[in-house]
Coordinates of all heavy atoms in Angstrom, one line a residue:
M1 N 131.9 -183.7 -72.3 CA 130.7 -184.4 -72.2 C 130.5 -185.1 -70.9 O 131.4 -185.7 -70.4 CB 130.6 -185.5 -73.3 CG 129.3 -186.2 -73.4 SD 129.2 -187.2 -74.9 CE 129.4 -188.8 -74.2
K2 N 129.3 -184.9 -70.3 CA 129.0 -185.4 -69.0 C 128.8 -186.9 -69.1 O 128.1 -187.4 -70.0 CB 127.8 -184.8 -68.4 CG 128.0 -183.3 -68.0 CD 126.7 -182.8 -67.4 CE 126.8 -181.4 -67.0 NZ 125.6 -180.9 -66.3
K3 N 129.3 -187.7 -68.1 CA 129.1 -189.1 -68.0 C 129.3 -189.6 -66.6 O 129.9 -188.8 -65.8 CB 130.0 -189.9 -69.0 CG 131.5 -189.6 -68.8 CD 132.3 -190.3 -69.9 CE 132.3 -189.4 -71.1 NZ 133.1 -189.8 -72.2
S4 N 128.9 -190.7 -66.3 CA 129.2 -191.3 -64.9 C 130.6 -191.6 -64.8 O 131.3 -191.9 -65.8 CB 128.3 -192.5 -64.7 OG 128.7 -193.6 -65.5
W5 N 131.1 -191.7 -63.6 CA 132.5 -192.0 -63.3 C 132.9 -193.4 -63.9 O 134.0 -193.5 -64.5 CB 132.9 -191.9 -61.8 CG 132.4 -193.1 -61.1 CD1 131.2 -193.2 -60.4 CD2 133.0 -194.4 -60.9 NE1 131.0 -194.4 -59.9 CE2 132.1 -195.2 -60.1 CE3 134.2 -194.9 -61.3 CZ2 132.5 -196.5 -59.8 CZ3 134.5 -196.2 -61.0 CH2 133.7 -197.0 -60.2
N6 N 131.9 -194.3 -63.8 CA 132.3 -195.7 -64.3 C 132.2 -195.7 -65.8 O 133.0 -196.5 -66.4 CB 131.4 -196.7 -63.6 CG 129.9 -196.5 -63.7 OD1 129.5 -195.5 -64.3 ND2 129.1 -197.3 -63.1
E7 N 131.4 -194.9 -66.5 CA 131.5 -194.8 -67.9 C 132.9 -194.3 -68.4 O 133.4 -194.9 -69.3 CB 130.4 -193.9 -68.5 CG 129.0 -194.5 -68.4 CD 128.0 -193.5 -68.9 OE1 127.9 -192.4 -68.3 OE2 127.3 -193.8 -69.9
L8 N 133.3 -193.3 -67.8 CA 134.6 -192.7 -68.1 C 135.7 -193.7 -67.8 O 136.6 -193.9 -68.7 CB 134.9 -191.4 -67.3 CG 136.2 -190.8 -67.5 CD1 136.5 -190.4 -69.0 CD2 136.4 -189.6 -66.6
A9 N 135.7 -194.4 -66.7 CA 136.7 -195.4 -66.4 C 136.6 -196.6 -67.4 O 137.7 -197.0 -67.8 CB 136.4 -195.9 -65.0
R10 N 135.5 -197.0 -67.8 CA 135.4 -198.1 -68.8 C 136.0 -197.7 -70.1 O 136.7 -198.5 -70.7 CB 133.9 -198.5 -69.0 CG 133.3 -199.4 -68.0 CD 132.0 -199.9 -68.5 NE 131.3 -200.5 -67.4 CZ 130.1 -200.2 -66.9 NH1 129.5 -199.1 -67.4 NH2 129.6 -200.8 -65.9
E11 N 135.7 -196.4 -70.5 CA 136.3 -195.9 -71.8 C 137.9 -196.0 -71.7 O 138.5 -196.4 -72.6 CB 135.9 -194.5 -72.1 CG 134.5 -194.4 -72.5 CD 134.0 -192.9 -72.7 OE1 134.9 -192.0 -72.7 OE2 132.8 -192.7 -72.9
K12 N 138.4 -195.5 -70.6 CA 139.8 -195.4 -70.4 C 140.4 -196.8 -70.3 O 141.5 -197.1 -70.8 CB 140.2 -194.6 -69.2 CG 139.8 -193.1 -69.3 CD 140.5 -192.5 -70.5 CE 140.1 -191.0 -70.7 NZ 140.8 -190.4 -71.8
M13 N 139.7 -197.7 -69.6 CA 140.2 -199.1 -69.5 C 140.3 -199.7 -70.9 O 141.2 -200.4 -71.2 CB 139.3 -199.9 -68.6 CG 139.4 -199.6 -67.1 SD 138.1 -200.4 -66.1 CE 138.5 -202.1 -66.4
S14 N 139.3 -199.5 -71.7 CA 139.3 -200.0 -73.1 C 140.5 -199.5 -73.9 O 141.2 -200.2 -74.5 CB 138.0 -199.7 -73.7 OG 138.0 -200.1 -75.1
E15 N 140.7 -198.1 -73.7 CA 141.8 -197.5 -74.5 C 143.2 -198.1 -74.0 O 144.1 -198.3 -74.9 CB 141.9 -196.0 -74.2 CG 140.8 -195.2 -74.8 CD 140.8 -193.8 -74.4 OE1 141.7 -193.3 -73.8 OE2 139.7 -193.1 -74.7
K16 N 143.3 -198.4 -72.7 CA 144.6 -198.9 -72.2 C 144.6 -200.5 -72.1 O 145.6 -201.0 -71.6 CB 144.8 -198.4 -70.8 CG 145.1 -196.9 -70.8 CD 145.4 -196.4 -69.4 CE 145.8 -195.0 -69.4 NZ 147.3 -194.9 -69.3
K17 N 143.5 -201.1 -72.6 CA 143.4 -202.5 -72.6 C 143.6 -203.1 -71.2 O 144.2 -204.1 -71.0 CB 144.4 -203.2 -73.6 CG 144.2 -202.7 -75.0 CD 145.0 -203.5 -76.0 CE 144.9 -203.1 -77.4 NZ 143.9 -202.2 -77.9
L18 N 142.9 -202.4 -70.2 CA 142.9 -202.9 -68.8 C 141.7 -203.7 -68.6 O 140.6 -203.4 -69.2 CB 143.0 -201.7 -67.9 CG 144.2 -200.9 -67.8 CD1 144.0 -199.6 -67.0 CD2 145.4 -201.7 -67.2
K19 N 141.7 -204.6 -67.7 CA 140.6 -205.4 -67.3 C 140.2 -205.1 -65.9 O 141.0 -204.6 -65.1 CB 140.9 -206.9 -67.4 CG 141.2 -207.3 -68.9 CD 141.5 -208.8 -68.9 CE 141.9 -209.2 -70.3 NZ 142.2 -210.6 -70.4
Q20 N 139.0 -205.5 -65.5 CA 138.6 -205.3 -64.1 C 139.6 -206.0 -63.1 O 139.9 -205.5 -62.0 CB 137.2 -205.9 -63.8 CG 136.1 -205.0 -64.5 CD 134.7 -205.5 -64.2 OE1 134.5 -206.5 -63.4 NE2 133.8 -204.9 -64.8
E21 N 140.1 -207.2 -63.6 CA 141.1 -207.9 -62.7 C 142.4 -207.0 -62.5 O 142.9 -207.1 -61.4 CB 141.5 -209.2 -63.4 CG 140.4 -210.2 -63.5 CD 139.5 -210.1 -64.7 OE1 139.8 -209.2 -65.6 OE2 138.6 -210.9 -64.9
D22 N 142.8 -206.3 -63.5 CA 144.0 -205.4 -63.3 C 143.7 -204.3 -62.3 O 144.5 -204.0 -61.4 CB 144.3 -204.7 -64.6 CG 144.7 -205.7 -65.7 OD1 145.3 -206.8 -65.4 OD2 144.2 -205.5 -66.9
I23 N 142.5 -203.7 -62.3 CA 142.1 -202.7 -61.4 C 142.0 -203.3 -60.0 O 142.5 -202.8 -59.0 CB 140.8 -202.0 -61.8 CG1 140.9 -201.4 -63.2 CG2 140.3 -201.0 -60.7 CD1 141.9 -200.3 -63.3
A24 N 141.4 -204.5 -59.9 CA 141.2 -205.2 -58.6 C 142.6 -205.5 -58.0 O 142.7 -205.2 -56.8 CB 140.4 -206.4 -58.8
E25 N 143.5 -206.0 -58.7 CA 144.8 -206.3 -58.2 C 145.5 -205.1 -57.7 O 146.1 -205.1 -56.6 CB 145.6 -207.0 -59.3 CG 147.0 -207.5 -58.8 CD 147.8 -208.3 -59.8 OE1 147.1 -208.9 -60.7 OE2 149.0 -208.2 -59.8
A26 N 145.5 -204.0 -58.4 CA 146.1 -202.8 -58.0 C 145.5 -202.2 -56.8 O 146.2 -201.5 -56.0 CB 146.1 -201.8 -59.2
M27 N 144.3 -202.4 -56.6 CA 143.6 -201.9 -55.4 C 143.4 -202.9 -54.2 O 142.8 -202.5 -53.2 CB 142.2 -201.4 -55.8 CG 142.2 -200.2 -56.8 SD 140.6 -199.6 -57.2 CE 140.1 -198.8 -55.7
D28 N 143.9 -204.1 -54.4 CA 143.8 -205.1 -53.4 C 142.3 -205.4 -53.1 O 141.9 -205.5 -52.0 CB 144.6 -204.7 -52.1 CG 144.8 -206.0 -51.2 OD1 144.9 -207.1 -51.8 OD2 144.9 -205.8 -50.0
K29 N 141.6 -205.5 -54.2 CA 140.1 -205.8 -54.1 C 139.9 -207.1 -55.0 O 140.7 -207.5 -55.7 CB 139.3 -204.7 -54.6 CG 139.5 -203.4 -53.9 CD 138.7 -203.3 -52.7 CE 138.8 -201.9 -52.1 NZ 138.4 -201.9 -50.7
T30 N 138.7 -207.6 -54.9 CA 138.3 -208.7 -55.8 C 137.8 -208.2 -57.1 O 137.3 -207.0 -57.1 CB 137.3 -209.7 -55.1 OG1 136.1 -208.9 -55.0 CG2 137.8 -210.2 -53.8
Q31 N 137.9 -209.0 -58.1 CA 137.3 -208.6 -59.4 C 135.8 -208.4 -59.2 O 135.2 -207.5 -59.8 CB 137.6 -209.6 -60.5 CG 137.0 -209.3 -61.8 CD 135.5 -209.6 -62.0 OE1 135.1 -210.7 -61.5 NE2 134.8 -208.8 -62.7
G32 N 135.1 -209.2 -58.3 CA 133.7 -209.1 -58.1 C 133.3 -207.7 -57.5 O 132.3 -207.1 -57.9
A33 N 134.2 -207.3 -56.6 CA 133.9 -205.9 -56.0 C 134.0 -204.8 -57.0 O 133.1 -204.0 -57.1 CB 134.9 -205.7 -54.8
I34 N 135.0 -204.9 -57.9 CA 135.1 -203.9 -58.9 C 133.9 -204.0 -59.9 O 133.4 -203.0 -60.3 CB 136.5 -204.1 -59.7 CG1 137.7 -204.0 -58.7 CG2 136.6 -203.1 -60.8 CD1 137.8 -202.7 -58.0
G35 N 133.6 -205.2 -60.2 CA 132.4 -205.4 -61.1 C 131.1 -204.8 -60.5 O 130.3 -204.2 -61.3
H36 N 130.9 -205.0 -59.2 CA 129.8 -204.4 -58.6 C 129.8 -202.9 -58.7 O 128.7 -202.2 -58.8 CB 129.6 -204.8 -57.1 CG 129.1 -206.2 -56.9 ND1 129.2 -206.9 -55.8 CD2 128.5 -207.1 -57.8 CE1 128.7 -208.1 -55.9 NE2 128.2 -208.2 -57.2
W37 N 130.9 -202.3 -58.5 CA 131.0 -200.8 -58.7 C 130.6 -200.4 -60.1 O 129.9 -199.4 -60.3 CB 132.5 -200.3 -58.4 CG 132.9 -200.5 -57.0 CD1 132.2 -200.8 -55.9 CD2 134.3 -200.3 -56.5 NE1 133.0 -200.9 -54.8 CE2 134.2 -200.6 -55.1 CE3 135.4 -200.0 -57.1 CZ2 135.4 -200.5 -54.4 CZ3 136.6 -199.9 -56.4 CH2 136.6 -200.2 -55.0
F38 N 131.1 -201.1 -61.1 CA 130.9 -200.8 -62.5 C 129.4 -201.0 -62.9 O 128.9 -200.3 -63.8 CB 131.8 -201.5 -63.4 CG 133.2 -200.8 -63.5 CD1 134.2 -201.3 -62.8 CD2 133.4 -199.7 -64.3 CE1 135.5 -200.7 -62.8 CE2 134.6 -199.1 -64.4 CZ 135.7 -199.6 -63.6
T39 N 128.7 -202.0 -62.3 CA 127.3 -202.2 -62.6 C 126.4 -201.4 -61.7 O 125.2 -201.4 -62.0 CB 127.0 -203.7 -62.4 OG1 127.2 -204.1 -61.1 CG2 127.8 -204.5 -63.4
G40 N 126.9 -200.8 -60.7 CA 126.1 -200.0 -59.8 C 125.5 -200.7 -58.6 O 124.7 -200.2 -57.9
K41 N 125.8 -202.0 -58.5 CA 125.2 -202.8 -57.4 C 125.8 -202.4 -56.0 O 125.1 -202.5 -55.0 CB 125.6 -204.3 -57.6 CG 124.8 -205.0 -58.7 CD 125.1 -206.4 -58.8 CE 124.3 -207.1 -59.9 NZ 124.6 -208.5 -60.0
R42 N 127.0 -201.8 -56.0 CA 127.6 -201.3 -54.8 C 128.2 -199.9 -55.2 O 128.6 -199.7 -56.4 CB 128.7 -202.2 -54.3 CG 128.2 -203.5 -54.0 CD 128.7 -203.9 -52.6 NE 128.3 -205.3 -52.3 CZ 127.3 -205.7 -51.5 NH1 126.6 -204.8 -51.0 NH2 127.1 -206.9 -51.3
K43 N 128.3 -199.0 -54.2 CA 128.9 -197.7 -54.5 C 130.2 -197.6 -53.8 O 130.3 -197.7 -52.6 CB 127.9 -196.6 -54.0 CG 126.6 -196.7 -54.8 CD 125.8 -195.4 -54.5 CE 124.5 -195.5 -55.2 NZ 124.4 -195.2 -56.6
P44 N 131.3 -197.3 -54.6 CA 132.6 -197.1 -54.0 C 132.6 -195.7 -53.3 O 131.8 -194.8 -53.7 CB 133.5 -197.1 -55.1 CG 132.7 -196.7 -56.3 CD 131.3 -197.2 -56.0
N45 N 133.5 -195.5 -52.3 CA 133.6 -194.2 -51.7 C 134.4 -193.3 -52.7 O 135.0 -193.7 -53.7 CB 134.2 -194.3 -50.3 CG 135.7 -194.8 -50.3 OD1 136.5 -194.5 -51.2 ND2 136.0 -195.6 -49.3
F46 N 134.6 -192.0 -52.3 CA 135.2 -191.1 -53.2 C 136.7 -191.5 -53.4 O 137.2 -191.3 -54.6 CB 135.2 -189.7 -52.5 CG 135.8 -188.6 -53.4 CD1 135.1 -188.1 -54.4 CD2 137.1 -188.1 -53.1 CE1 135.7 -187.1 -55.2 CE2 137.7 -187.2 -53.9 CZ 137.0 -186.6 -54.9
E47 N 137.4 -191.9 -52.4 CA 138.8 -192.3 -52.6 C 138.9 -193.5 -53.6 O 139.8 -193.5 -54.4 CB 139.4 -192.7 -51.3 CG 139.8 -191.5 -50.4 CD 140.5 -191.9 -49.2 OE1 141.1 -193.0 -49.1 OE2 140.6 -191.0 -48.3
E48 N 138.0 -194.4 -53.5 CA 138.0 -195.6 -54.4 C 137.8 -195.2 -55.8 O 138.4 -195.6 -56.8 CB 137.0 -196.6 -53.9 CG 137.5 -197.3 -52.6 CD 136.4 -198.1 -51.9 OE1 135.2 -197.8 -52.1 OE2 136.7 -199.0 -51.2
V49 N 136.8 -194.3 -56.0 CA 136.5 -193.7 -57.4 C 137.8 -193.0 -57.9 O 138.2 -193.3 -59.0 CB 135.3 -192.8 -57.4 CG1 135.2 -192.1 -58.7 CG2 134.0 -193.5 -57.1
A50 N 138.4 -192.2 -57.1 CA 139.6 -191.5 -57.5 C 140.7 -192.4 -57.9 O 141.4 -192.2 -58.9 CB 140.0 -190.6 -56.3
K51 N 140.9 -193.5 -57.1 CA 141.9 -194.5 -57.4 C 141.7 -195.2 -58.7 O 142.6 -195.4 -59.5 CB 142.1 -195.4 -56.3 CG 143.4 -196.3 -56.5 CD 143.9 -196.9 -55.2 CE 145.2 -197.6 -55.5 NZ 145.8 -198.2 -54.4
V52 N 140.4 -195.6 -58.9 CA 140.1 -196.3 -60.2 C 140.4 -195.3 -61.4 O 141.0 -195.7 -62.3 CB 138.6 -196.7 -60.2 CG1 138.2 -197.1 -61.6 CG2 138.3 -197.8 -59.2
L53 N 139.9 -194.1 -61.3 CA 140.2 -193.2 -62.4 C 141.7 -192.9 -62.6 O 142.1 -192.9 -63.7 CB 139.4 -191.8 -62.1 CG 137.9 -191.9 -62.2 CD1 137.3 -190.6 -61.8 CD2 137.5 -192.3 -63.6
K54 N 142.4 -192.8 -61.5 CA 143.9 -192.6 -61.6 C 144.5 -193.8 -62.3 O 145.4 -193.6 -63.1 CB 144.5 -192.3 -60.2 CG 145.9 -191.8 -60.3 CD 146.2 -190.9 -59.2 CE 147.5 -190.2 -59.3 NZ 147.4 -188.9 -59.9
L55 N 144.1 -195.0 -61.9 CA 144.7 -196.2 -62.5 C 144.4 -196.3 -64.0 O 145.1 -196.9 -64.7 CB 144.1 -197.4 -61.8 CG 144.7 -197.7 -60.4 CD1 143.9 -198.8 -59.7 CD2 146.1 -198.1 -60.4
T56 N 143.3 -195.7 -64.4 CA 142.9 -195.7 -65.8 C 143.5 -194.5 -66.6 O 143.3 -194.3 -67.8 CB 141.4 -195.7 -66.0 OG1 140.8 -194.5 -65.5 CG2 140.8 -196.9 -65.4
G57 N 144.3 -193.7 -65.9 CA 145.0 -192.6 -66.5 C 144.3 -191.2 -66.4 O 144.8 -190.3 -67.1
V58 N 143.3 -191.1 -65.7 CA 142.6 -189.9 -65.5 C 143.0 -189.3 -64.2 O 142.9 -189.9 -63.1 CB 141.0 -190.1 -65.4 CG1 140.3 -188.7 -65.2 CG2 140.5 -190.7 -66.7
D59 N 143.7 -188.1 -64.2 CA 144.2 -187.5 -63.0 C 143.4 -186.3 -62.5 O 143.5 -185.8 -61.4 CB 145.7 -187.2 -63.0 CG 146.1 -186.3 -64.1 OD1 145.2 -185.9 -64.9 OD2 147.2 -185.9 -64.1
R60 N 142.6 -185.7 -63.4 CA 141.7 -184.6 -63.1 C 140.4 -184.7 -63.8 O 140.4 -185.0 -65.0 CB 142.4 -183.3 -63.4 CG 143.6 -183.0 -62.6 CD 144.2 -181.6 -62.9 NE 143.4 -180.6 -62.3 CZ 143.7 -179.3 -62.4 NH1 144.6 -178.9 -63.2 NH2 142.9 -178.4 -61.8
V61 N 139.3 -184.5 -63.0 CA 138.0 -184.4 -63.6 C 137.2 -183.3 -63.0 O 137.6 -182.7 -62.0 CB 137.2 -185.7 -63.4 CG1 137.8 -186.9 -64.1 CG2 137.0 -186.0 -61.9
I62 N 136.1 -182.9 -63.7 CA 135.2 -181.9 -63.2 C 134.0 -182.7 -62.6 O 133.4 -183.5 -63.3 CB 134.7 -181.0 -64.3 CG1 135.9 -180.2 -64.8 CG2 133.6 -180.1 -63.7 CD1 135.6 -179.3 -66.1
L63 N 133.8 -182.6 -61.3 CA 132.7 -183.2 -60.7 C 131.5 -182.3 -60.7 O 131.5 -181.2 -60.1 CB 133.0 -183.6 -59.2 CG 132.0 -184.3 -58.4 CD1 131.5 -185.6 -59.0 CD2 132.5 -184.5 -57.0
N64 N 130.4 -182.7 -61.4 CA 129.2 -181.9 -61.6 C 128.3 -182.1 -60.4 O 128.3 -183.2 -59.8 CB 128.5 -182.2 -62.9 CG 129.4 -181.9 -64.1 OD1 129.8 -180.7 -64.2 ND2 129.8 -182.9 -64.9
G65 N 127.4 -181.2 -60.2 CA 126.4 -181.3 -59.1 C 125.5 -182.5 -59.2 O 124.9 -182.9 -58.2
D66 N 125.3 -183.0 -60.4 CA 124.4 -184.1 -60.6 C 125.1 -185.4 -60.5 O 124.5 -186.5 -60.8 CB 123.7 -184.0 -62.0 CG 124.6 -184.0 -63.2 OD1 125.8 -184.1 -63.0 OD2 124.1 -183.9 -64.3
G67 N 126.4 -185.4 -60.1 CA 127.1 -186.7 -59.9 C 127.8 -187.2 -61.1 O 128.5 -188.2 -61.0
T68 N 127.7 -186.5 -62.2 CA 128.5 -186.9 -63.4 C 129.8 -186.2 -63.4 O 130.1 -185.3 -62.6 CB 127.7 -186.4 -64.7 OG1 127.6 -185.0 -64.7 CG2 126.4 -187.1 -64.8
V69 N 130.7 -186.7 -64.2 CA 132.1 -186.2 -64.3 C 132.4 -185.8 -65.8 O 131.7 -186.3 -66.7 CB 133.2 -187.2 -63.8 CG1 133.0 -187.5 -62.4 CG2 133.2 -188.5 -64.6
E70 N 133.3 -184.9 -65.9 CA 133.8 -184.5 -67.2 C 135.3 -184.5 -67.1 O 135.9 -184.1 -66.1 CB 133.3 -183.2 -67.6 CG 131.8 -183.1 -67.8 CD 131.4 -181.7 -68.2 OE1 131.7 -181.2 -69.3 OE2 130.8 -181.0 -67.3
E71 N 136.0 -184.9 -68.2 CA 137.4 -184.8 -68.2 C 137.8 -183.3 -68.2 O 137.2 -182.5 -68.8 CB 138.0 -185.5 -69.4 CG 138.0 -187.0 -69.3 CD 138.8 -187.6 -70.4 OE1 140.0 -187.7 -70.3 OE2 138.1 -188.1 -71.4
F72 N 138.8 -183.0 -67.4 CA 139.2 -181.6 -67.3 C 140.1 -181.2 -68.5 O 141.0 -181.9 -68.8 CB 140.1 -181.4 -66.0 CG 140.5 -180.0 -65.8 CD1 139.6 -179.1 -65.2 CD2 141.8 -179.6 -66.1 CE1 140.0 -177.8 -65.0 CE2 142.2 -178.3 -65.9 CZ 141.3 -177.4 -65.3
E73 N 139.7 -180.1 -69.1 CA 140.5 -179.7 -70.3 C 141.3 -178.4 -69.8 O 140.6 -177.5 -69.4 CB 139.6 -179.3 -71.5 CG 138.9 -180.5 -72.0 CD 137.9 -180.2 -73.1 OE1 138.1 -179.1 -73.8 OE2 137.0 -180.9 -73.3
S74 N 142.6 -178.4 -69.9 CA 143.4 -177.3 -69.5 C 143.1 -176.0 -70.2 O 143.4 -174.9 -69.7 CB 144.8 -177.6 -69.5 OG 145.2 -177.9 -70.9
N75 N 142.4 -176.1 -71.4 CA 142.1 -174.8 -72.1 C 140.7 -174.4 -71.8 O 140.2 -173.5 -72.5 CB 142.4 -175.0 -73.6 CG 141.6 -176.1 -74.2 OD1 140.9 -176.9 -73.5 ND2 141.6 -176.3 -75.5
A76 N 140.0 -174.9 -70.9 CA 138.7 -174.5 -70.6 C 138.7 -173.1 -70.0 O 139.6 -172.8 -69.2 CB 138.0 -175.5 -69.6
T77 N 137.7 -172.4 -70.3 CA 137.5 -171.0 -69.7 C 136.7 -171.1 -68.5 O 136.0 -172.1 -68.2 CB 136.9 -170.1 -70.8 OG1 135.5 -170.5 -71.0 CG2 137.7 -170.0 -72.1
K78 N 136.7 -170.0 -67.7 CA 135.8 -169.9 -66.5 C 134.4 -170.1 -66.9 O 133.6 -170.7 -66.1 CB 136.1 -168.6 -65.8 CG 137.4 -168.6 -65.1 CD 137.5 -167.3 -64.3 CE 138.8 -167.3 -63.6 NZ 139.0 -166.1 -62.8
E79 N 134.0 -169.6 -68.0 CA 132.6 -169.7 -68.5 C 132.2 -171.2 -68.7 O 131.1 -171.6 -68.5 CB 132.3 -168.9 -69.7 CG 132.4 -167.4 -69.5 CD 133.8 -166.8 -69.4 OE1 134.7 -167.4 -70.0 OE2 134.0 -165.8 -68.7
D80 N 133.2 -171.9 -69.2 CA 132.9 -173.4 -69.5 C 132.6 -174.1 -68.2 O 131.9 -175.1 -68.2 CB 134.1 -174.0 -70.2 CG 134.4 -173.5 -71.5 OD1 133.4 -173.0 -72.2 OD2 135.5 -173.5 -72.0
I81 N 133.2 -173.7 -67.1 CA 133.0 -174.5 -65.9 C 132.4 -173.7 -64.7 O 132.5 -174.1 -63.6 CB 134.4 -175.1 -65.4 CG1 135.4 -174.0 -65.2 CG2 134.9 -176.1 -66.4 CD1 136.7 -174.4 -64.6
K82 N 131.7 -172.7 -65.0 CA 131.1 -171.8 -64.0 C 130.2 -172.5 -63.1 O 130.0 -172.2 -61.9 CB 130.5 -170.6 -64.6 CG 129.3 -170.8 -65.4 CD 128.8 -169.5 -66.0 CE 127.6 -169.9 -67.0 NZ 127.2 -168.7 -67.6
E83 N 129.5 -173.5 -63.5 CA 128.5 -174.3 -62.7 C 129.1 -175.5 -62.1 O 128.4 -176.3 -61.5 CB 127.3 -174.6 -63.5 CG 126.5 -173.5 -64.0 CD 125.9 -172.6 -62.9 OE1 125.5 -173.2 -61.9 OE2 125.9 -171.4 -63.0
S84 N 130.4 -175.8 -62.3 CA 131.1 -177.0 -61.8 C 132.3 -176.6 -61.0 O 132.7 -175.4 -61.0 CB 131.6 -177.8 -63.0 OG 130.5 -178.2 -63.8
Y85 N 132.8 -177.5 -60.3 CA 134.0 -177.3 -59.5 C 135.1 -178.3 -59.9 O 134.8 -179.5 -60.3 CB 133.7 -177.5 -58.0 CG 132.7 -176.5 -57.6 CD1 131.3 -176.9 -57.5 CD2 133.0 -175.2 -57.2 CE1 130.4 -176.0 -57.1 CE2 132.1 -174.3 -56.8 CZ 130.8 -174.7 -56.7 OH 129.8 -173.8 -56.3
S86 N 136.3 -177.9 -59.9 CA 137.4 -178.8 -60.3 C 138.2 -179.2 -59.0 O 138.5 -178.4 -58.2 CB 138.4 -178.1 -61.2 OG 139.5 -178.8 -61.5
Y87 N 138.3 -180.5 -58.9 CA 139.1 -181.1 -57.7 C 140.1 -182.0 -58.2 O 139.9 -182.9 -59.1 CB 138.1 -181.9 -56.8 CG 137.1 -181.1 -56.1 CD1 135.8 -181.0 -56.7 CD2 137.4 -180.3 -55.0 CE1 134.8 -180.2 -56.1 CE2 136.4 -179.6 -54.4 CZ 135.1 -179.5 -54.9 OH 134.2 -178.8 -54.3
P88 N 141.3 -182.0 -57.7 CA 142.3 -183.0 -58.0 C 141.9 -184.3 -57.4 O 141.3 -184.3 -56.4 CB 143.6 -182.4 -57.4 CG 143.2 -181.6 -56.3 CD 141.8 -181.0 -56.7
L89 N 142.2 -185.4 -58.1 CA 142.0 -186.7 -57.5 C 143.0 -187.0 -56.5 O 144.2 -186.9 -56.8 CB 141.9 -187.8 -58.6 CG 140.8 -187.6 -59.6 CD1 140.8 -188.7 -60.7 CD2 139.4 -187.6 -58.9
L90 N 142.6 -187.5 -55.4 CA 143.5 -187.8 -54.3 C 143.6 -189.3 -54.1 O 142.6 -190.0 -54.3 CB 143.0 -187.2 -53.0 CG 142.8 -185.7 -53.0 CD1 142.1 -185.3 -51.7 CD2 144.0 -184.9 -53.3
S91 N 144.8 -189.8 -53.8 CA 144.9 -191.2 -53.6 C 145.1 -191.5 -52.1 O 145.4 -192.7 -51.7 CB 146.0 -191.8 -54.4 OG 147.2 -191.1 -54.1
S92 N 145.1 -190.5 -51.3 CA 145.3 -190.7 -49.8 C 144.4 -189.8 -49.1 O 144.1 -188.7 -49.6 CB 146.8 -190.4 -49.5 OG 147.0 -190.4 -48.1
S93 N 144.0 -190.2 -47.9 CA 143.1 -189.3 -47.1 C 143.9 -188.3 -46.3 O 143.4 -187.5 -45.6 CB 142.2 -190.1 -46.2 OG 143.0 -190.9 -45.3
R94 N 145.3 -188.4 -46.3 CA 146.1 -187.5 -45.5 C 146.4 -186.2 -46.3 O 146.6 -186.3 -47.5 CB 147.4 -188.2 -45.2 CG 147.3 -189.3 -44.3 CD 148.6 -190.0 -44.0 NE 149.7 -189.5 -44.8 CZ 150.9 -190.0 -44.7 NH1 151.2 -190.9 -43.8 NH2 151.9 -189.5 -45.4
W95 N 146.3 -185.1 -45.6 CA 146.6 -183.8 -46.2 C 148.1 -183.6 -46.0 O 148.7 -183.8 -45.0 CB 145.8 -182.7 -45.5 CG 144.4 -182.8 -45.9 CD1 143.4 -183.3 -45.1 CD2 143.8 -182.3 -47.1 NE1 142.2 -183.2 -45.8 CE2 142.4 -182.6 -47.0 CE3 144.2 -181.6 -48.2 CZ2 141.5 -182.3 -48.0 CZ3 143.3 -181.3 -49.2 CH2 142.0 -181.6 -49.1
L96 N 148.8 -183.0 -47.0 CA 150.2 -182.7 -46.9 C 150.3 -181.2 -46.6 O 149.6 -180.4 -47.1 CB 150.9 -183.0 -48.2 CG 150.8 -184.4 -48.7 CD1 151.4 -184.6 -50.1 CD2 151.5 -185.4 -47.7
D97 N 151.2 -180.9 -45.7 CA 151.5 -179.5 -45.3 C 152.4 -178.8 -46.3 O 153.2 -179.4 -46.9 CB 152.1 -179.4 -43.9 CG 151.1 -179.9 -42.9 OD1 149.9 -179.7 -43.1 OD2 151.6 -180.4 -41.8

């Protein structure tokens, strides 16, 4: 099911009983900054979104052209994702050789 990255993160935070403060501490940000990302007042960069999702237990998503995300299912067929692309979530901007 398609949803925004912050909707997915909120669901996972609820499942893991994480608070915005937990995410903020792990990312060396303020709770206010994290709150602004979740309400849409500010937009995090791709790396920040990836780190939030990783902290909530999501390590792979399908990023759709309309900006929504879907959890990656390992049993998905090519037909299921033909209009989408799958990218691993990165926590660093450095490429490894």
Side-chain angles (χ1 to χ4, degrees):
M1 183 169 106
K2 292 182 180 182
K3 56 185 83 172
S4 67
W5 74 268
N6 53 5
E7 287 176 298
L8 178 58
R10 279 191 194 119
E11 286 176 12
K12 296 299 181 180
M13 286 172 64
S14 179
E15 289 173 14
K16 292 183 170 263
K17 300 190 182 346
L18 291 171
K19 297 179 181 177
Q20 288 182 4
E21 292 87 359
D22 301 320
I23 301 296
E25 184 177 329
M27 295 183 68
D28 198 28
K29 303 279 185 195
T30 65
Q31 180 278 324
I34 303 301
H36 282 165
W37 293 349
F38 280 97
T39 61
K41 289 183 180 180
R42 301 229 187 258
K43 296 194 184 280
N45 64 38
F46 182 78
E47 284 186 19
E48 292 166 331
V49 169
K51 188 157 187 182
V52 169
L53 291 173
K54 190 146 190 95
L55 289 168
T56 62
V58 178
D59 60 353
R60 292 183 78 183
V61 294
I62 297 171
L63 177 60
N64 298 300
D66 61 1
T68 59
V69 296
E70 295 178 70
E71 286 189 81
F72 183 82
E73 297 177 23
S74 60
N75 61 352
T77 65
K78 287 184 180 182
E79 291 77 30
D80 293 333
I81 58 173
K82 65 182 175 185
E83 297 297 322
S84 302
Y85 300 93
S86 175
Y87 295 96
L89 294 180
L90 305 173
S91 61
S92 173
S93 60
R94 296 181 347 181
W95 290 97
L96 302 176
D97 293 329

